[in-house]
Amino acid sequence: MTLLAEVVFPLPLNQSFSYIVPAESAGPAKPGVRVWAPLGRKTQLGFLVAVRDLGPDDVRLLKEIAMIIDPAPVFSASTLALTFRLSQYFFSSWGELLQAALPPSLEIKTKAKVRLTESGLEALRKRTLSKDERKAADALGRNAFTILHLRRTTSLKTMAALIARMAKKGLVQVVEETVRPKKIPSAPSERARPMQLELDFTIEPAVRSALEAMRGPLEEKRFAPFYLYGGRTARLGVYGPLIRKVISMDRQVLVLVPEMAASGPLRESLEKRLGETVAFLHGQMPEGAREREWQKIKSGRTRVVVGPRSALFAPLASAGLVIVDEEHDDAYLQTERPVYDARVGARFMAVDHGALLVFGSDVPTVEAFHEARSGGYLLALPGDDERRRVEIVNDASERGLLARRFHDVLRTNLRPGRSGIVFLNRRGYASFLFCPRCGYIPRCERCDISLMYYKKEERLVCRYCAAARPRPRSCPKCGNRVMEPRGAGVEAVEEELRRLFPGTRVSGFDSDRVRTKAAREKVLRNFEGGKIDVLVGTQMLAHQAGLPPAAWVGILNPEALLAFADFRASQRTFQAVHRMMRFAAPAEAGGEIVIQTAFPEHHSIREAARQNYEAFFEQEIRFRRLMGYPPFAAMAEIVLLGREERPLAQKARELVRRARTCGGDIEIFGPAFAPSSLLKGERGIQVILKSRANEKLDACLAECLGTSGTKRSVTRYG
DNA sequence: AGCACGCCGACT
DNA sequence: GTCGGCGTGCTC
């Protein structure tokens, strides 16, 4: 009987390919081994995911696997299952997800090397080469080098272009060489290091009852979800004993955190509480360190893993507990390929391992809070948000950039030792220029959105494709002599602050001006050191961790986030305001917050200011129910991408036609132009599908997206 | 993602 | 008249 192998590749393809397993390779041909297999005209690295017998459907000519790389599987059955489920759910490539789950020592990298061809050597002998070509050819000789190496040895800056030209003429050949993975020294086989154990003597009743609630499923080793709704301190008070219990049962623990920066303190405090080392896994760690952590987890020497979303792929043999801390954070969603949401992955994993799934946050997503409450697994803990003194200023009837009341607050606060922060989520000087006579607004030709205005550089810049051009002196349409800036950005706020309060040390913090990590740190150090009176920043500043509490915080127009046509706009606004408010010192320490907005009564802004999540939730869930949005429905947004509108529209119509065949349970919105083209110079047409049942939506998505090879993105909600 | 096949503009 | 642009479709 001929054996067939199903192979997936780390390419953006979501399908598997069947290959014949050579008779002599039947032994190691197990799911989870890496293989080399011919695909098209190349031999590709792939992952064997299943073995089966030749069936009657295999009528096409099958190729043979070229080589089985590993003598034994490098992926466990549970890693295969997890990545498979994620690929199904998010329509991402299984192969790319498996690639993400590989330890550094097993990653195969290719390096492009350049070699002179016979005709290249002859041309060198006959001296028919140009000056630069000759330099490259001399450097090459009979060897193969990388372009980087050639650039260094010849000091020709445009080496890449030169090589491309020479390759076209057939003078050189570019070959992909697989680089043997460096032998990475394995970790010394130390036992888990005992550490100073910090014990909590004050176990709150709420913590005690939360632990009590989780005991049953934990001891029975069955899947059960829980949501710890409460402050960080209280959550940690639950995580600690819970993790200890799981360890004592000889099972492993995965703790997911939103960002790398946030995981340091959590890891330390866990180590203190647990009295043993905690593994830390992050994609941006140096390879050696990542490999060592990986090996420690794999061997079972460390039983607790902390990391951001990619830590989901840590090689845990038997997880008894999966924690997703700060559940509300968008960083759990990987928006680049392969697209997946670690919160969904955490659930798949917990189900697969029969583990406890614990979410934690004091500002949960509306969906998760609702699910937890109606599913009876919401555990309320004490909050630890200190009270903040907040004032909301209505700027609907104000003329200037800063409302008078906002101005007053600044005046009383701008004195030595009271540094503050102003948040405004708008880069540049103005979001666009506007002709007051004819209404003309300069737009980007490629992206068809208005161009941002940078005053100092006197430039207009596209926020998507970064294309820039000088600002027009007069209106290009009607010749009017003035173009007015509209939609003030951080630079305009800085200018205004300097004008109103001369001598104030104002510094900006946005992606345009603090590009590098070093620049960011320098500004933050200066702010900490009291060398900056006012720091004006965008969302980027709001995502910085570890700043000392500011004496005052000004939040300018957070309602801008509500303008997005997205059912989660309110949630986003609430979260953003909440996040920014945390930069201010608590009221009892003299901290002050002022929010300037045109929508002072909007629940997302008002309740964030009152630090009342539950009141926000009650209002938001009513809206979601009324509109039939998640969590009362499952939604998916499909964006078809392409350069030309016509074929896109054609495909969108085809997609809608297919969606209609799925039955009346599916609501279809669109096709419509995707708001603000997502990719540089491309157009997007979107179709939104909505259904009461997630499974129905699943089936319909499969129907709509099944085989079409069009460029697209799929986002799922609920 | 690559890579080949296939139909419309600037050139020997 | 060709060379070559990248739009479209396939890879077991």
Side-chain angles (χ1 to χ4, degrees), chain A residues 512-565:
Chain A
D512 294 311
R513 281 163 306 160
V514 283
R515 285 173 185 279
T516 64
K517 197 173 173 225
R520 282 198 292 278
E521 275 163 8
K522 190 179 166 196
V523 175
L524 296 178
R525 259 202 317 278
N526 284 343
F527 182 71
E528 276 173 53
K531 289 176 189 155
I532 293 170
D533 299 315
V534 187
L535 193 53
V536 181
T538 56
Q539 202 63 28
M540 193 189 162
L541 178 59
H543 280 88
Q544 292 296 314
L547 244 74
W552 59 272
V553 164
I555 301 171
L556 282 175
N557 304 113
E559 71 273 16
L561 283 165
L562 292 170
F564 288 101

Side-chain angles (χ1 to χ4, degrees), chain A residues 28 37 80 98 107 229 231 236 249 258 319 340 378 416 537 544 554 560 565 588 615 690 694:
Chain A
L80 287 169
L98 283 169
E107 281 168 14
Y229 166 57
L236 267 167
M249 292 171 72
Y340 66 94
L378 184 73
Q544 292 296 314
E588 57 172 31
K690 200 163 107 179
N694 211 358

Side-chain angles (χ1 to χ4, degrees), chain A residues 7-10 34-37 43-47 69 99 102 106-108:
Chain A
V7 175
V8 294
F9 296 94
R34 295 172 301 161
V35 300
W36 288 109
T43 296
Q44 266 276 349
L45 169 74
F47 307 114
I69 300 172
Q99 177 92 325
L102 275 178
L106 296 180
E107 281 168 14
I108 291 180

Side-chain angles (χ1 to χ4, degrees), chain A residues 680-712:
Chain A
K680 294 159 190 171
E682 284 197 317
R683 295 310 308 255
I685 292 187
Q686 68 170 203
V687 176
I688 291 172
L689 303 179
K690 200 163 107 179
S691 172
R692 303 278 302 220
N694 211 358
E695 307 76 59
K696 287 258 167 60
L697 185 68
D698 252 348
C700 186
L701 281 169
E703 174 65 33
C704 295
L705 302 169
T707 49
S708 99
T710 325
K711 217 170 148 192
R712 74 204 173 196

Side-chain angles (χ1 to χ4, degrees), chain A residues 58-287:
Chain A
D58 301 302
V59 283
R60 48 169 130 51
L61 225 53
L62 298 176
K63 292 183 183 171
E64 278 197 357
I65 282 181
M67 186 179 123
I68 292 182
I69 300 172
D70 305 299
V74 296
F75 297 116
S76 65
S78 62
T79 300
L80 287 169
L82 173 67
T83 48
F84 174 67
R85 292 215 58 193
L86 283 171
S87 77
Q88 292 281 296
Y89 196 84
F90 293 103
F91 298 88
S92 340
S93 148
W94 190 1
E96 286 184 329
L97 285 159
L98 283 169
Q99 177 92 325
L102 275 178
S105 61
L106 296 180
E107 281 168 14
I108 291 180
K109 290 176 190 138
T110 57
K111 220 185 233 175
K113 286 197 172 178
V114 185
R115 182 189 289 282
L116 280 176
T117 58
E118 279 310 314
S119 70
L121 283 164
E122 188 162 322
L124 179 64
R125 275 196 302 274
K126 291 187 176 164
R127 296 169 178 271
T128 55
L129 295 171
S130 75
K131 214 171 83 193
D132 283 356
E133 284 173 349
R134 201 142 150 217
K135 272 193 193 168
D138 278 335
L140 276 167
R142 290 200 164 268
N143 304 313
F145 293 121
T146 63
I147 289 176
L148 191 73
H149 177 265
L150 286 175
R151 192 166 54 192
R152 274 201 296 255
T153 48
T154 59
S155 68
L156 283 174
K157 279 206 192 89
T158 57
M159 185 51 79
L162 176 68
I163 292 299
R165 283 199 304 274
M166 290 176 76
K168 234 174 196 175
K169 291 191 207 163
L171 299 170
V172 295
Q173 199 181 4
V174 181
V175 271
E176 293 285 327
E177 226 169 71
T178 58
V179 180
R180 294 236 153 267
K182 298 192 285 269
K183 271 273 171 270
I184 292 167
S186 62
S189 59
E190 61 192 289
R191 254 329 276 184
R193 181 158 40 106
M195 300 181 80
Q196 188 64 48
L197 185 61
E198 227 170 63
L199 292 171
D200 319 305
F201 292 103
T202 53
I203 292 190
E204 299 229 21
V207 169
R208 196 192 307 261
S209 69
L211 286 167
E212 197 51 45
M214 297 187 227
R215 208 173 75 188
L218 188 62
E219 284 175 353
E220 289 158 30
K221 299 187 179 179
R222 64 182 159 87
F223 166 76
F226 289 97
Y227 202 114
L228 294 178
Y229 166 57
R232 199 189 156 79
T233 315
R235 294 198 312 266
L236 267 167
V238 177
Y239 297 159
L242 199 55
I243 294 172
R244 247 176 274 153
K245 173 89 180 164
V246 174
I247 291 174
S248 75
M249 292 171 72
D250 232 11
R251 302 180 85 192
Q252 289 173 298
V253 180
L254 173 65
V255 184
L256 294 179
V257 293
E259 275 154 71
M260 180 168 57
S263 59
L266 181 80
R267 180 190 174 194
E268 273 168 38
S269 94
L270 279 180
E271 286 187 334
K272 280 185 187 141
R273 277 159 198 266
L274 300 172
E276 74 168 62
T277 51
V278 167
F280 180 56
L281 215 49
H282 189 278
Q284 278 152 43
M285 281 164 73
E287 267 185 17

Side-chain angles (χ1 to χ4, degrees), chain A residues 656-690:
Chain A
V656 168
R657 196 191 57 71
R658 284 187 185 215
R660 289 222 179 89
T661 66
C662 298
D665 305 319
I666 304 282
E667 277 182 83
I668 305 160
F669 301 88
F673 283 122
S676 64
S677 47
L678 296 164
L679 279 168
K680 294 159 190 171
E682 284 197 317
R683 295 310 308 255
I685 292 187
Q686 68 170 203
V687 176
I688 291 172
L689 303 179
K690 200 163 107 179

